[in-house]
Amino acid sequence: MHILLILRILGILLMLFSLTQLSPLLVSFWFEDGAHKGFIWAFLVTFGCGLLMWLPVYKRRGELRTRDGFLITALFWTVLGLFGSLPFILNSNTDLVISEAVFESVSGLTTTGATVMTHLDELPHSILFYRQQLQWFGGIGIIVIAVAILPMLGIGGMQLYRAETPGPVKDSKLTPRITETAKALFIVYVMLTLSCALAYWLAGMSSFDAICHAFSTVAIGGFSTHDDSIGYFDSTAIMLICSFYMLVAGINFALHFYAWRNRSISHYFRDSESSFYAGVLLFGCIIVCSFLYYHEHYGINDALLHGIFQTISIATTTGFTTEPFAAWPSFIPFFLIMLSFMGGCAGSTGGGMKAVRVMLIMKQGIRELHQLIHPNAVMPLKVGRRRVEAKVISAVWSFFAVYVFAFISIMMALMMCGMDQTTAYSSVVATLNNLGPGLGDTAANFSSASEPEQWILSFSMLLGRLEVFTLLVLLTPAFWRH
Amino acid sequence: MHILLILRILGILLMLFSLTQLSPLLVSFWFEDGAHKGFIWAFLVTFGCGLLMWLPVYKRRGELRTRDGFLITALFWTVLGLFGSLPFILNSNTDLVISEAVFESVSGLTTTGATVMTHLDELPHSILFYRQQLQWFGGIGIIVIAVAILPMLGIGGMQLYRAETPGPVKDSKLTPRITETAKALFIVYVMLTLSCALAYWLAGMSSFDAICHAFSTVAIGGFSTHDDSIGYFDSTAIMLICSFYMLVAGINFALHFYAWRNRSISHYFRDSESSFYAGVLLFGCIIVCSFLYYHEHYGINDALLHGIFQTISIATTTGFTTEPFAAWPSFIPFFLIMLSFMGGCAGSTGGGMKAVRVMLIMKQGIRELHQLIHPNAVMPLKVGRRRVEAKVISAVWSFFAVYVFAFISIMMALMMCGMDQTTAYSSVVATLNNLGPGLGDTAANFSSASEPEQWILSFSMLLGRLEVFTLLVLLTPAFWRH
Ligand SMILES: [K+]
Ligand SMILES: [K+]
């Protein structure tokens, strides 16, 4: 372990992160909302801490290895999550205790979008902007880490892609390729955000709302500047734009990058994961729309509009709402929440288990059935025309089991704190899948959760975002040996 | 497919099964409870149907193959489940509609022990005896099928053992070895039942109750002749005897057979699955007992007694109760019900996913963590000193995924019928794990479930008992080709 080197990186990271507290400061001055002091203090504290970490070790050089990668990735989210809560704590308008402020900050950075804040519409613009921006930076962090770093650690749904990439990526050293890849992904991400904001603005949002919602849409975050979320705008155009961008943001950004560089879209259809992802969303939309219509909850038009919007929003784990879907008839809320276990594709900002894993698990189940009928046949598992490595399959299975195990453990911890079963169940889905809204007591927001519950849920959001294993590895004694 | 041969076997099976309706007939005469007519009719109809199936094809000979094995196993439970409902339908005392009668019969034969009957204490002795006996015959059927037949089909937790067995067992032909194995297992089963009944009787049960409860204890069934289940007797001795026999019945019967033949018990401790099973039960008991004591629900003695009894009863999927555990504080009912996903060992009468599978899944998860830390190390998965075949691991993973998938699908189907989430959730656990009691509306019994819900739950019990795959294979088009 290169502790001092890691300290240096964290110091730089914190100093960079402190800069992100300057833009809400500008917003505060622009709207004269009086919340500027909190951001100035947050900036100074964050920058100062970063400087204090960096200064003593700034000359430290060395090569990072896989093991350091786990620690950095986990610390990245944890440390930023903690420091990101400063503006909420230091601002008198928000009135949050520490557990709530950290919850809100972690929820933003992990693009979960669960909130403990109420009466959003009355909050200062700068605070609202800051929340949205947290999601946006969280989003690009997720993509870079998922595409460039996790595969090197042997974690994450991108393993399937990794099997194809020759040479240095398979090495355990973190190579300079990361910088290039990160730059390219960042450009795509910015372009997507700009076009989304423009579309929102053209559809009638104020420029402030357009930018804010573009941030949380492209990040699959789900934070909004209004209590009624997207429902506030009451606009079919905005719902359709939002649906489109959620759909796009849930696809692997490596594919978007490819599309942008080669001016082609045919590879989306050739990609097995994207096709599976689209198929599941289509299936979900059909079920939800027909159920809404059949139960006479809506007329045909509204059933289609709300059904499609809500299915995409929950299945991609964005978590925007137009209607209180938790109150929809019978099994729809449960069905939607189950879809969020898929979430987005690997290498997107979506949460959940990722489409590629769900696809591999299903394929493996079907393969096993055929194997039982033809016990002596040799049937390799294939995606497209490619045979899936045994190592990848084993990693996917383990991920599934560990995910289920983490789910049950967190749910039990919440129930030990006294939560009822439905609320506990949906709160874990909402946080572990980085979805956002729950059912039961946490359908609207998490302010009713107790302090210990909020800490547990913050942990759950981090665990989900770190693909469980990154954090679990740190908890094994074997990791700290040597 | 040898349809006519299968018909012949089913015919014989039905004629044999009809004989089991004669013992409750004797009970009816003995107690003069007036319920004899139902059993006479049930006997005649069952025997008649069996004869009609058998007569036209009684000369049919041939060799059964794997494919036929799936069909026979699935039909075995389905057909017996249907015919087993006749005494409930034909008896005026029970007042059950068809869906309820089939539910009760399937629940008996699959040793689930969920009931739609209320006021058990007022029912005729013969009906009560018949229910208990259904579980007992179901239990031995399960063991023989799990130990002797499923491994040949490539299904079930016994695969791990199968890898060791040389020669004919690996063949796809059903060999005469089945008869021998079945006989040996039956002897062990009978001995266990007799000693259990004797112990109950010495502890103060009437001889009728002793026999009846021995039937459902050894079968991990959970049916009782009293509404208050084991709680009716209010006896520490009976609770301890019951705990012991549930524990024993949850262990692989192949091990019991070995113990009986070689007068040795040391192999229980060498067997990885048994050790894991005991470890999980111990862990569960500690959690439950300390929670009961800590929450001041009981004093120290009662916390221990009820905690241990209820943990063993639910974790082994027996489903006996002494107290309404669904009303225990906060998270205990949920925790207990999660334990039932383990259930018994492979080759026992227990339900759930079986200890060996849960053990392999956990081992694989831990292995994966270490693999992440040492990406280049070669780490085969081992049980004891034996390396686990890749084929077995893959089968276990697929089972896990398919089990979860079946769980969610059935739960959704129930919620579509209008069940609330907690009741639906626990009803699926109760039936798919062959556990018995649920939570919420089905905590005491399933008479509140609607007819479609009862059909779905009967299917769920069959699915669990047939280790999911046996039934799923029949639903694939590939199975019916050729
Ligand atoms: K989200
Ligand atoms: K049972």
Side-chain angles (χ1 to χ4, degrees), chain B residues 120-140:
Chain B
L120 292 176
D121 301 80
E122 295 159 20
L123 283 177
H125 280 71
S126 54
I127 296 279
L128 292 174
F129 183 85
Y130 176 67
R131 288 170 77 238
Q132 306 297 120
Q133 190 192 254
L134 268 182
Q135 296 215 311
W136 194 69
F137 281 116
I140 184 63

Side-chain angles (χ1 to χ4, degrees), chain B residues 338-353:
Chain B
M338 286 314 300
L339 283 183
S340 77
F341 275 94
M342 174 185 78
C345 300
S348 78
T349 46
M353 300 206 297

